[in-house]
Amino acid sequence: MDWKVLLEQAPSGGMTYLGWLASGLFWTLAVSACAWVIAFAVGSVVGVARTVPLAAARLAATAYVELFRNIPLLVQMFLWYFVMPEVIPKDWGDWLKQDMPNLLTLPFAAQFSLWEFTAAVLCLGLYTASRVAEQVRSGIQSLPRGQTSAGLAIGLTLPQVYRHVTLPMAYRIIIPPMTSEFLTIFKNSSTALTIGVLELTAQSRQISEYTFKTFEAFTAATLIYIAITMTVIFAMRALEKRVAVPGYIAQGGGH
Amino acid sequence: MAEMDWSVVWKYREALWDGMLTSLKLFAIALAGGIFFGTLLALARLARWKALSVPAAGFVNLIRAIPFIMAIFWFYFLTPMIVSKFTGQQGEAVGPFTSAVVAFIMVESAYYSEIIRAGIQSIPRGQPWAAYALGMNYRQSMVHIVLPQAFRNMLPVMLTQAVILFQDTSLVYVVALKDFLGAASKAGQLTGRIVELYLFVAVVFFLVCFAASWAVKRLQARLAVSR
Amino acid sequence: MIDLRAVSKWFGTFQVLKDCTTRVAKGEVVVVCGPSGSGKSTLIKAVNGLEPFQKGEIFVNGISVGDPRTNLPKLRAHIGMVFQNFELFPHMSITANLTLAQVKVLGRSREEAEAKGLKLLDRVGLLSQKDKFPGQLSGGQQQRVAIARALSMDPIAMLFDEPTSALDPEMINEVLDVMVELAREGMTMMVVTHEMGFARKVAHRVVFMDHGQIVEDCPKDDFFGSPRSERAQAFLSKILHH
């Protein structure tokens, strides 16, 4: 074991190997957070669309979920990064590949451009949206049917029922599965290393290649992943408690 | 937008087919190994003996906390080292495919153990009680009474996980193993026809996984009725 | 045959059994009754070691149940048990339910086990159902199969844990009839039940439990004639007047 290697000066970036790991963590979190915004927004819309009394909306939403769920994430990553610039008008594609700004100016300077980052975020976000949509749908469908009827009966419109009755309950119910979806995005963000995003896993491998201290490099990255996972789980438990409705047993609680 | 030339898929059909066979082989071994070791892990986690349940829980939670790719890197690094320690041979004795297989079995056993544990816990306590009351021991009550019912209850979830596993086999790309995606990638580099090849891979994966998911849903509906 | 000496059990800090002492002699039928939550189900499950207990001793045929060296599976193979929720194995046919333990535990041949099982199935009047699955039978039929399953192991004693309380009223008698017949043949039985008609008909002794304690333990006629404790009187008047 030689943990001091992490404090040695790395060959690039003007930082130590520990700095590389920190930079990797920064990009892992940046990709995950941006992708989560897309996943949550698109997933909510698609999930709600799967429950509305409008056949065309339901069909489109189902098609979305099936399409994104049945193609491996890594293949989707390649479709966004390699294939998309080739099938859109040539000028646009060239702009994506060549003219997107390099990220060297940002903190934790990276040797990849905004296009790699964007492709990774789009891919992870839209892929996870299909999973979030399923959670939203099952959350809505787990509510008693009488709730919607009761809302309509007091004169609310259907969108108002969703806004004030259905969704507030459904989102509370799905906090635990949404936590695991966020952790899934966080872990899946390592797939972005295949298109050159130097996130945490990529950095730990790079350190192992430069220093041959594979065990130390992998252990350090693994510990960081565990620490973040635990932080998220505790934070979400706290959130779950704060928004809990008295007298209504959340699905995650008890046994 | 560039012109498409799909003949490249036909030209590289043999390499693509070989890649698909590698993917299927990895899938089958990882599935069998994952369910087998996953069952053992689940039983260990449910054991009253802490020396068994704590390490099992630790392993499962560790694997589930790190990215699949990180786990592949780990076992890709560890397997040759551990094997050479036991056999005295050099690391080259273990090929990349074996290392990948070990990585996939380890990761899948952690995922499957969670499914199987839930399956075992879904069986009412009276069932093992009835088995014990008839004089069966722990092994007999598990093998004949609890596990058959647990597997039956969990069949749809286990098959859904199998579809996910099939998709995940594409991750061996990161250790340069020539699976289906790897073969397409190689052909794409040789011909510059990356667009056609990646689209072809996407379509094949979609058709296989969509058909399989649909079959699982049908099975689930049938099981729900017969219960 | 069954000998309980000062048995105590705790779930955490809550004491569910308090110094329970009673015995069932060979050929005797003992009915255990009491309000729900009184610990009677826990007590009968302690007899064959399904519920571990922390203090006291239980002997079955001279063998200590609580002793860690006791081969519990071997002991249980000779004590039949019938559960409140039948607990037939839902993934197996009726015949397989009757033969599995005979083959795997007693080492009987498949033919021998099947002959024995079907003979007992005939005895409870359900031979025609032998190829069905438990889910296809009514509750009363399932419980009769469960009794046949327990008898197929040639038990030296039978434990019944509220065998009729999960049944619809019209099915209770078909199960009680089988139990009465069994009692009249001289089977040693310990029965947790609220069926006081059954107790009057065949019990030798009645044990009344409340709050984890054995409050009354006396011959049947004494119990129904003049129960000594107020709690037993209150229980009897509640249960007999509906």
Side-chain angles (χ1 to χ4, degrees):
Chain A
M1 279 332 115
D2 177 18
W3 297 101
K4 272 181 285 185
V5 69
L6 293 176
L7 298 175
E8 281 170 20
Q9 193 65 25
S12 73
M15 50 175 98
T16 60
Y17 287 116
L18 202 59
W20 276 14
L21 285 174
S23 154
L25 175 62
F26 172 83
W27 288 110
T28 288
L29 291 175
V31 168
S32 308
C34 296
W36 180 246
V37 173
I38 296 178
F40 190 79
V42 177
S44 297
V45 173
V46 175
V48 168
R50 289 198 78 179
T51 66
V52 295
L54 191 69
R58 283 204 308 271
L59 186 71
T62 307
Y64 180 93
V65 170
E66 293 296 344
L67 182 66
F68 281 87
R69 225 178 24 181
N70 286 309
I71 297 175
L73 179 63
L74 186 52
V75 176
Q76 293 189 33
M77 195 65 84
F78 289 176
L79 291 183
W80 286 108
Y81 183 68
F82 294 114
V83 175
M84 211 219 358
E86 308 298 330
V87 296
I88 55 177
K90 193 168 178 316
D91 293 349
W92 301 5
D94 288 346
W95 181 78
L96 285 178
K97 284 188 290 184
Q98 289 152 21
D99 300 338
M100 292 273 274
N102 196 292
L103 292 174
L104 274 167
T105 51
L106 285 175
F108 295 120
Q111 295 113 337
F112 52 91
S113 81
L114 191 57
W115 167 231
E116 275 95 31
F117 179 79
T118 311
V121 166
L122 273 178
C123 171
L124 278 165
L126 293 175
Y127 168 78
T128 312
S130 71
R131 302 171 53 112
V132 169
E134 284 300 272
Q135 303 293 358
V136 171
R137 176 182 68 97
S138 75
I140 292 172
Q141 287 176 344
S142 74
L143 296 174
R145 285 204 157 194
Q147 293 275 301
T148 307
S149 314
L152 294 171
I154 58 172
L156 296 177
T157 64
L158 190 63
Q160 285 173 322
V161 171
Y162 270 98
R163 163 73 185 77
H164 297 288
V165 181
T166 316
L167 291 181
M169 270 326 276
Y171 277 114
R172 282 179 170 82
I173 291 172
I174 63 174
I175 289 176
M178 291 294 243
T179 310
S180 74
E181 288 308 331
F182 178 75
L183 291 174
T184 305
I185 237 181
F186 170 65
K187 288 186 287 168
N188 278 342
S189 64
S190 67
T191 317
L193 70 85
T194 57
I195 59 170
V197 177
L198 284 173
E199 44 66 72
L200 185 53
T201 303
Q203 289 288 15
S204 75
R205 189 171 63 160
Q206 195 168 242
I207 294 171
S208 121
E209 277 164 3
Y210 276 97
T211 65
F212 300 107
K213 302 288 181 199
T214 309
F215 187 84
E216 290 81 351
F218 286 2
T219 303
T222 298
L223 289 177
I224 296 173
Y225 277 115
I226 292 173
I228 302 281
T229 299
M230 279 166 49
T231 309
V232 170
I233 289 175
F234 283 124
M236 290 309 258
R237 274 202 199 132
L239 174 68
E240 203 181 335
K241 270 202 197 117
R242 258 194 62 184
V243 302
V245 176
Y248 196 91
I249 300 144
Q251 298 205 316
H255 56 262
Chain B
M1 194 173 126
E3 281 291 305
M4 296 272 186
D5 177 12
W6 293 99
S7 68
V8 65
V9 171
W10 180 249
K11 200 172 145 210
Y12 281 89
R13 64 187 181 280
E14 274 172 30
L16 289 169
W17 178 242
D18 282 348
M20 184 48 110
L21 286 181
T22 303
S23 294
L24 289 173
K25 218 159 84 185
L26 181 61
F27 166 72
I29 301 174
L31 183 66
I35 292 175
F36 179 75
F37 289 109
T39 307
L40 295 184
L41 270 176
L43 293 176
R45 276 198 83 170
L46 293 170
R48 227 177 294 170
W49 203 32
K50 281 234 160 63
L52 221 54
S53 65
V54 171
F59 174 79
V60 171
N61 288 333
L62 173 68
I63 293 288
R64 281 157 39 94
I66 62 174
F68 205 132
I69 293 179
M70 187 82 231
I72 293 177
F73 285 160
W74 259 122
F75 288 106
Y76 206 72
F77 159 66
L78 285 178
T79 309
M81 230 172 66
I82 291 171
V83 168
S84 68
K85 202 164 228 168
F86 277 102
T87 60
Q89 284 171 305
Q90 279 310 301
E92 287 75 33
V94 181
F97 184 75
T98 312
S99 295
V101 161
V102 171
F104 270 76
I105 289 179
M106 290 295 168
V107 173
E108 288 305 319
S109 64
Y111 289 159
Y112 268 110
S113 85
E114 286 296 276
I115 297 174
I116 294 163
R117 185 168 68 114
I120 292 173
Q121 286 176 324
S122 75
I123 305 302
R125 249 178 109 192
Q127 286 287 309
W129 269 346
Y132 293 143
L134 286 165
M136 289 187 213
N137 56 32
Y138 173 80
R139 194 187 59 79
Q140 287 169 325
S141 90
M142 274 294 161
V143 170
H144 298 295
I145 307 305
V146 176
L147 287 179
Q149 294 184 61
F151 278 120
R152 207 185 130 95
N153 290 353
M154 287 292 118
L155 192 61
V157 189
M158 291 179 72
L159 290 172
T160 303
Q161 177 63 29
V163 176
I164 297 171
L165 165 60
F166 181 60
Q167 295 187 18
D168 282 345
T169 57
S170 63
L171 292 174
V172 290
Y173 175 89
V174 300
V175 287
L177 203 69
K178 255 209 251 138
D179 68 321
F180 187 45
L181 178 60
S185 185
K186 188 82 196 287
Q189 281 161 19
L190 289 174
T191 59
R193 288 287 166 190
I194 229 168
V195 173
E196 291 85 344
L197 284 156
Y198 283 155
L199 281 173
F200 174 71
V201 168
V203 169
V204 170
F205 264 114
F206 177 78
L207 290 178
V208 173
C209 296
F210 181 73
S213 313
W214 183 79
V216 172
K217 247 180 235 150
R218 285 285 303 267
L219 178 78
Q220 203 166 6
R222 263 184 48 199
L223 284 179
V225 169
S226 72
R227 197 163 293 150
Chain C
M1 174 78 56
I2 300 170
D3 203 350
L4 296 92
R5 296 182 195 161
V7 176
S8 292
K9 178 183 172 72
W10 287 262
F11 282 129
T13 55
F14 178 68
Q15 190 168 8
V16 277
L17 296 178
K18 294 174 191 161
D19 281 333
C20 295
T21 300
T22 188
R23 53 196 309 269
V24 183
K26 191 167 190 301
E28 201 178 19
V29 176
V30 172
V31 163
V32 182
C33 61
S36 61
S38 60
K40 48 197 194 315
S41 271
T42 310
L43 186 70
I44 200 169
K45 286 200 189 85
V47 171
N48 65 354
L50 289 180
E51 287 279 12
F53 49 93
Q54 284 86 29
K55 261 177 70 184
E57 280 183 302
I58 299 178
F59 291 94
V60 175
N61 216 13
I63 300 166
S64 168
V65 176
D67 188 337
R69 283 165 301 180
T70 299
N71 184 345
L72 272 182
K74 201 174 160 198
L75 179 68
R76 287 169 180 148
H78 298 291
I79 314 170
M81 184 158 201
V82 175
F83 295 85
Q84 181 176 0
N85 293 312
F86 333 131
E87 304 298 352
L88 293 181
F89 305 132
H91 58 303
M92 295 178 177
S93 71
I94 299 304
T95 307
N97 262 281
L98 289 162
T99 53
L100 178 73
Q102 291 189 65
V103 174
K104 299 287 174 192
V105 176
L106 300 181
R108 288 177 181 159
S109 73
R110 195 158 292 281
E111 295 74 31
E112 193 188 351
E114 199 163 314
K116 175 107 195 167
L118 294 182
K119 204 177 97 191
L120 287 161
L121 193 60
D122 193 21
R123 190 180 144 178
V124 298
L126 292 169
L127 188 57
S128 58
Q129 316 286 331
K130 68 183 169 69
D131 296 322
K132 291 205 173 145
F133 279 77
Q136 296 170 295
L137 269 51
S138 75
Q141 289 174 324
Q142 288 191 53
Q143 196 60 301
R144 281 147 67 198
V145 173
I147 295 173
R149 181 176 72 177
L151 291 175
S152 73
M153 303 293 285
D154 292 322
I156 54 172
M158 289 281 287
L159 308 172
F160 292 84
D161 182 12
E162 307 208 29
T164 57
S165 59
L167 295 174
D168 291 335
E170 73 270 20
M171 294 175 185
I172 290 176
N173 278 330
E174 59 184 81
V175 172
L176 288 180
D177 288 346
V178 174
M179 290 169 60
V180 166
E181 199 185 320
L182 206 56
R184 295 210 164 126
E185 283 170 13
M187 174 62 79
T188 308
M189 292 165 69
M190 186 167 174
V191 185
V192 172
T193 185
H194 288 165
E195 293 298 330
M196 288 303 125
F198 172 81
R200 272 184 209 276
K201 215 185 269 181
V202 295
H204 299 102
R205 279 187 15 254
V206 176
V207 169
F208 175 76
M209 287 184 75
D210 197 14
H211 294 109
Q213 270 174 316
I214 293 184
V215 181
E216 300 254 347
D217 183 353
C218 57
K220 166 185 64 176
D221 293 334
D222 291 2
F223 183 78
F224 289 111
S226 56
R228 275 153 281 182
S229 71
E230 269 175 43
R231 279 189 276 182
Q233 282 174 14
F235 174 74
L236 270 179
S237 69
K238 243 183 242 162
I239 209 162
L240 294 177
H241 290 128
H242 72 233

